[in-house]
């Protein structure tokens, strides 16, 4: 099983700042199979990034993803008030096919 | 555009069976791997499994002994049943569709709103 570890657990920043979120895998993950989601309270997850660096439809270019192997990063520049939420990374692989990280909470400082 | 809507009981007694359906509107169940996820209150997401429109399935090993998924193409919907539920199965259950059809479901861009299922006597 591929375990995804996200850090930090909580990130406190101000609007306008840049956020950098990390996702580390316990074994190598194909870049094609690494995605990032945003989840606001009471809402379903929203796909932000897939294939490690490709923005999903309608996602602003303030969101960017990078990485390969076991280390992946989601960056959010010029934070807007609506960006403060929980972010999850997710991978597709062997059994179980799909796993998520434990999440990073981005909160307003 | 495609929309998903979960339906089913919000309360299930321990040891009984949880059954949920996801109705697909604005598109067809054909050609996609349809997935179920759950999220216990305050916790991270967990993948339950997927069912292809042809009926083939893949389940999370942690739940495999209790889960069954199916597709009803005539009703344009798919379903999940979880047997012998326990309080730890209390969660918001989501159905979701991957970004691409007829291929590995590696990312999910369409989600239902989620439905809270509580396991309690």
């Amino acid at each position: 099983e591929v375990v995804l570890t996200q850090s930090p657990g909580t990130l406190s920043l101000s609007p306008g700042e840049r956020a950098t979120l990390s996702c580390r895998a316990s074994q190598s993950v194909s870049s094609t199979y690494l995605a990032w989601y945003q989840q606001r309270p009471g809402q379903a997850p929203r796909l932000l990034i897939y294939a490690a660096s490709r923005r999903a439809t309608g996602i602003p270019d303030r969101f960017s993803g990078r990485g390969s192997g076991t280390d992946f990063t989601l960056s959010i520049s010029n934070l807007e008030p609506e960006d403060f939420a929980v972010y999850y990374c997710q991978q597709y692989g062997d059994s179980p096919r799909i796993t998520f990280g434990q999440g990073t909470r981005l909160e307003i400082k | 555009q495609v929309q998903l809507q979960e339906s089913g009981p919000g309360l299930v007694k321990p040891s009984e069976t949880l059954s949920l359906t996801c109705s697909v509107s604005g598109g067809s169940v054909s050609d996609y791997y349809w997935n179920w996820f759950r999220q216990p209150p305050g916790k991270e997401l967990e993948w339950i499994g997927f069912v292809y429109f042809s009926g083939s399935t893949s389940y999370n090993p942690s739940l495999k002994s209790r889960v069954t998924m199916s597709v009803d193409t005539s009703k344009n919907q798919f379903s999940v049943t979880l047997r012998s539920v326990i309080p730890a199965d209390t969660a918001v259950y989501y159905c979701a569709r991957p970004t691409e059809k007829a291929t590995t479901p590696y990312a999910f861009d369409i989600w239902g709103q989620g439905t809270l299922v509580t396991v309690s006597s």
Side-chain angles (χ1 to χ4, degrees):
Chain A
E1 175 180 348
V2 176
V3 177
L4 300 178
T5 302
Q6 293 186 241
S7 62
T10 301
L11 184 57
S12 300
L13 293 170
S14 301
E17 292 191 299
R18 179 182 183 88
T20 302
L21 287 65
S22 172
C23 177
R24 180 161 292 178
S26 59
Q27 54 189 277
S28 185
V29 173
S30 168
S31 296
T32 300
Y33 297 153
L34 195 287
W36 289 92
Y37 298 83
Q38 176 193 71
Q39 189 175 34
R40 297 176 177 137
Q43 295 187 15
R46 174 194 182 198
L47 179 65
L48 300 174
I49 300 287
Y50 65 99
S53 61
R54 300 184 66 177
R55 273 187 300 276
T57 302
I59 301 303
D61 59 9
R62 300 185 293 103
F63 292 86
S64 62
R66 60 180 296 177
S68 63
T70 60
D71 289 299
F72 298 88
T73 301
L74 173 70
S75 296
I76 313 169
S77 63
N78 191 22
L79 285 167
E80 300 278 350
E82 62 267 24
D83 297 337
F84 293 91
V86 178
Y87 292 83
Y88 293 98
C89 57
Q90 171 246 308
Q91 68 87 36
Y92 175 94
D94 292 329
S95 183
R97 294 287 191 183
I98 296 162
T99 58
F100 291 85
Q102 84 280 16
T104 289
R105 180 178 304 277
L106 179 57
E107 64 176 26
I108 299 178
K109 187 174 182 180
Chain B
Q1 71 272 22
V2 176
Q3 292 185 316
L4 307 180
Q5 178 67 59
E6 304 92 348
S7 60
L11 180 64
V12 181
K13 291 182 167 57
S15 80
E16 295 190 344
T17 296
L18 178 164
S19 295
L20 297 173
T21 296
C22 184
S23 298
V24 181
S25 59
S28 171
V29 293
S30 297
D31 296 328
Y32 282 95
Y33 288 85
W34 298 97
N35 287 254
W36 286 96
F37 299 88
R38 68 180 186 178
Q39 187 172 35
K43 296 188 177 181
E44 65 262 32
L45 293 151
E46 178 184 32
W47 175 70
I48 301 172
F50 65 64
V51 56
Y52 194 41
F53 81 103
S54 63
S56 63
T57 57
S58 179
Y59 303 137
N60 191 321
S62 68
L63 298 169
K64 187 175 182 177
S65 64
R66 298 193 291 136
V67 171
T68 302
M69 293 183 182
S70 61
V71 173
D72 187 333
T73 54
S74 67
K75 295 182 178 180
N76 218 38
Q77 61 188 27
F78 58 103
S79 302
V80 61
T81 60
L82 182 65
R83 297 174 291 278
S84 304
V85 297
I86 59 176
D89 292 317
T90 294
V92 175
Y93 286 74
Y94 295 100
C95 55
R97 196 200 78 173
T99 54
E100 296 185 28
K101 64 168 64 174
T103 187
T104 303
Y106 56 85
F108 306 90
D109 60 345
I110 298 178
W111 294 70
Q113 65 184 24
T115 186
L116 174 63
V117 179
T118 301
V119 178
S120 174
S121 54

